[in-house]
Amino acid sequence: MHSVTVVLGGGIGGMVAANEIRRQLPTAHRVVLVEKNAQHAFAPSFLWLMTGDREPGQICRPLAGLLRRGVELVHAEVTGIDTSRRKVRTSAAEIAYDHLIVALGASLAPDAMPGLAEASHTFFTLEGSARLRDALRSFSGGRIAIVVSAMPYKCPGAPHEGAMLIADFFRRRGLTGKVDVHLFTPEPQPMPVAGPRLGEAVQGMLQSRGVEFHPLHRLMRVDPAAREMEFEKGTRAGYDLLVAVPPHRAPRVVVEAGLTNQAGWIPVDARTLRTNQDGVYAIGDVTSIPIPGRWKPDVPLMLPKAGVFAHAHAEVAARQVVAEVTGRACEAAFSGDGYCMLEAGGDLAGFAFGNFLAEPSPTLQLRETGKFWHLGKVLFEKWWLAPVGLRRSLIGSLVKAGGRFHGVPVSL
Ligand SMILES: Cc1cc2nc3c(=O)[nH]c(=O)nc-3n(C[C@H](O)[C@H](O)[C@H](O)COP(=O)(O)OP(=O)(O)OC[C@H]3O[C@@H](n4cnc5c(N)ncnc54)[C@H](O)[C@@H]3O)c2cc1C
């Protein structure tokens, strides 16, 4: 019998999952991908859009061009998931599935924080990054506050990269003394999942670029008229330009389907990405995976929401589905390995890597800041946005070779 696998969401995880299943299964088995946006925007490059180093056209591609032939793309909004009837409702049609991969990512909810939406810019969306670029260009001096408004958020490196790139933007324009850059976060240190040593190293990077770091600042509200943030315990801080990492939420459709846990995300088996529903997998930002040794009720640290994990999850879930369809055994399991090139400005980047599921707690390292890692990130961007047929070409080999050369498991 021929199967139907439906993948919900055509971002990083969904795209890889659909392409991988299509590559591994005979074409008689259908692979359907449902995505509301016709264009795919590469989020890591939003930071370069903000600094004026990229134009939107350079970091967006029609999604159809990134998919393997034979993946059926349904350009529609997912409006319902009925796991008991094995059906999904979309704005275009109802689709029955044998296997379902939920890759709907995390939605941004700036309205969840009083005053934030009207007061702040963000580099967490394509449009927001373009608007912020214009605001930075016309900013001639004062205090810029970057605020992590709530946990969890995607890409634990992004607020730090954003702060360093903004500081570098003004250094390049000769305005260093006139612009103060501050980073506020509820976290006790930068990237707490990575442990204290890496946190100290990132704090050192921030300091050397003139970014003032304010940990343990939980935002309660923003007063746009007074240009002031209010934090837990009544502390206040003013700003002239506010840049926010907005609160994140699982998309409403997965909450309404009853797939989420108390924390609001989809719990999955950390190794197989199976949910508690038969035939249903969830991957990437929409999931909740506790980190060994760093999971406490008051500090609920989860596997970071990052493209590198969405990608690795997708490969595992794809192989699990293929094994179920073909009746073969499957040994594919998510290893927990991850990495991140941390942009620091001046065409330099650091490189953090390690295993996030290691017992008793994650083991992460930070390689010294250098041009190599920045180039690696640029190369990765080119590879990611290349038409699917070209991906296995020279660019892919170079990125892979770079990862192996440094002894780091870089999964493409
Ligand atoms: C500024 C920034 C920098 C980043 N830098 C890095 C980095 O350097 N390294 C890294 O690893 N990660 C980085 N990330 C994080 C990375 O982009 C995400 O973790 C990754 O995209 C998650 O993949 P995903 O497939 O789970 O979700 P997404 O890529 O967000 O895809 C979800 C898809 O689902 C679609 N969708 C949602 N709801 C519906 C619906 N109801 N109907 C139809 N479609 C729907 C969305 O349109 C979207 O295309 C960065 C993120 C940002 C914002």
Side-chain angles (χ1 to χ4, degrees), residues 8-15 34-37 39-47 63 74 76-79 102-108 123-125 129 154-159 161 248 251-253 283-287 304-311 313 339-342 377 380:
L8 303 182
I12 289 187
M15 198 191 302
V34 188
E35 166 59 52
K36 62 184 175 183
N37 292 324
Q39 291 282 319
H40 173 77
F42 187 57
S45 304
F46 292 172
L47 291 159
L63 177 58
V74 177
E77 172 119 19
V78 181
T79 53
V102 182
L104 291 169
S107 307
L108 302 181
F123 49 76
F124 264 56
T125 64
S129 299
K154 49 186 154 184
C155 192
E161 292 181 282
H248 287 41
R252 207 179 51 182
V253 67
I283 60 174
D285 287 358
V286 78
T287 63
K305 300 191 180 304
V308 65
F309 294 129
H311 191 151
H313 286 175
Y339 62 92
C340 157
M341 286 99 157
L342 203 65
K377 192 152 185 164
F380 190 86

Side-chain angles (χ1 to χ4, degrees), residues 49-52 54-56 129-137:
L49 178 60
M50 168 187 83
T51 55
R54 295 287 185 284
E55 290 299 323
S129 299
R131 277 195 297 271
L132 177 54
R133 172 198 57 198
D134 297 342
L136 293 176
R137 280 179 181 162

Side-chain angles (χ1 to χ4, degrees), residues 71-328:
V71 174
E72 299 171 41
L73 176 60
V74 177
H75 179 204
E77 172 119 19
V78 181
T79 53
I81 303 170
D82 185 343
T83 53
S84 58
R85 290 169 59 235
R86 292 198 172 218
K87 289 198 168 145
V88 293
R89 246 187 354 266
T90 78
S91 53
E94 191 172 71
I95 309 170
Y97 65 81
D98 299 298
H99 298 95
L100 182 69
I101 298 184
V102 182
L104 291 169
S107 307
L108 302 181
D111 293 327
M113 181 63 67
L116 190 72
E118 61 177 299
S120 63
H121 285 274
T122 188
F123 49 76
F124 264 56
T125 64
L126 182 77
E127 300 74 21
S129 299
R131 277 195 297 271
L132 177 54
R133 172 198 57 198
D134 297 342
L136 293 176
R137 280 179 181 162
S138 58
F139 192 79
S140 53
R143 178 182 242 239
I144 298 186
I146 296 130
V147 64
V148 174
S149 61
M151 301 282 290
Y153 60 91
K154 49 186 154 184
C155 192
H160 312 90
E161 292 181 282
M164 289 190 282
L165 288 177
I166 288 173
D168 185 59
F169 176 89
F170 289 106
R171 186 188 57 77
R172 281 191 277 161
R173 294 179 65 207
L175 290 172
T176 301
K178 291 191 173 162
V179 179
D180 294 334
V181 181
H182 296 256
L183 173 57
F184 296 87
T185 178
E187 299 152 294
Q189 60 158 86
M191 304 162 76
V193 281
R197 271 185 49 204
L198 193 130
E200 272 167 34
V202 174
Q203 210 161 324
M205 285 173 75
L206 291 168
Q207 207 172 8
S208 67
R209 281 149 183 91
V211 176
E212 206 165 313
F213 182 63
H214 304 270
L216 296 171
H217 277 66
R218 188 178 303 279
L219 189 65
M220 303 307 288
R221 61 188 60 80
V222 180
D223 182 343
R227 295 193 171 194
E228 215 173 50
M229 292 174 283
E230 187 184 327
F231 299 96
E232 203 178 37
K233 299 180 188 148
T235 331
R236 288 168 185 272
Y239 62 84
D240 296 301
L241 184 74
L242 183 61
V243 182
V245 175
H248 287 41
R249 300 278 185 272
R252 207 179 51 182
V253 67
V254 301
V255 180
E256 288 171 355
L259 289 169
T260 50
N261 61 10
Q262 267 190 325
W265 305 96
I266 305 181
V268 289
D269 180 282
R271 300 296 182 186
T272 63
L273 288 316
R274 284 174 203 270
T275 67
N276 57 14
Q277 298 295 312
D278 208 24
V280 181
Y281 293 79
I283 60 174
D285 287 358
V286 78
T287 63
S288 154
I289 298 178
I291 293 280
R294 303 208 199 282
W295 176 267
K296 300 182 203 131
D298 53 330
V299 193
L301 287 184
M302 296 188 288
L303 183 76
K305 300 191 180 304
V308 65
F309 294 129
H311 191 151
H313 286 175
E315 288 181 347
V316 171
R319 285 173 62 189
Q320 294 280 346
V321 167
V322 169
E324 281 180 31
V325 171
T326 55
R328 291 192 208 121

